[in-house]
Amino acid sequence: MLGLRGFPNVQGGVEVHAEHLCPHLKELGCDVEVIVRSSYMPPDRGDEWQGVRYQRVWCPKTSGLETIVHSFLECLSPHGSGRTFCTSRLSDRP
């Protein structure tokens, strides 16, 4: 998932939605990785939450630039370049 500040407990509608959705996707057998903004997700919060992996990407904490710069850097990161972030293994189930 791209474009999030981070979660859990990060203010924002998309963040709250992802906080609820990602664990359910994990339960369904998806591999879930979220690219988050490093200023909202310091390393002491860990690299995983309820089976959801975090990948931190830096961005300026300036309201006019934060989202666009982070989205651009996400696409350039090795984790964002054309990769599928939720790969369902439901087809592997009997």
Side-chain angles (χ1 to χ4, degrees), residues 4-6 34-38 41 54-57 70:
L4 304 174
R5 292 183 186 115
V34 181
I35 298 181
V36 297
R37 300 176 195 179
S38 58
M41 295 294 295
Y54 297 125
Q55 197 58 241
R56 290 171 179 78
V57 174
H70 186 251

Side-chain angles (χ1 to χ4, degrees), residues 4-11 15-16 19 34-37 40-41 45 54:
L4 304 174
R5 292 183 186 115
F7 62 82
N9 303 319
V10 175
Q11 182 179 1
E15 290 75 17
V16 171
E19 182 177 339
V34 181
I35 298 181
V36 297
R37 300 176 195 179
Y40 291 90
M41 295 294 295
R45 292 186 79 174
Y54 297 125

Side-chain angles (χ1 to χ4, degrees), residues 4-92:
L4 304 174
R5 292 183 186 115
F7 62 82
N9 303 319
V10 175
Q11 182 179 1
V14 170
E15 290 75 17
V16 171
H17 178 71
E19 182 177 339
H20 295 286
L21 176 64
C22 288
H24 292 295
L25 291 173
K26 185 69 180 164
E27 289 174 10
L28 290 173
C30 295
D31 292 324
V32 184
E33 185 171 351
V34 181
I35 298 181
V36 297
R37 300 176 195 179
S38 58
S39 57
Y40 291 90
M41 295 294 295
D44 64 344
R45 292 186 79 174
D47 293 331
E48 192 172 301
W49 174 77
Q50 294 189 9
V52 177
R53 293 182 310 277
Y54 297 125
Q55 197 58 241
R56 290 171 179 78
V57 174
W58 174 87
C59 72
K61 203 165 181 183
T62 306
S63 66
L65 295 173
E66 183 177 348
T67 302
I68 190 83
V69 169
H70 186 251
S71 297
F72 177 73
L73 293 175
E74 286 174 337
C75 292
L76 295 179
S77 79
H79 296 277
S81 57
R83 193 168 156 194
T84 302
F85 290 96
C86 179
T87 307
S88 176
R89 287 181 257 158
L90 295 175
S91 60
D92 297 340

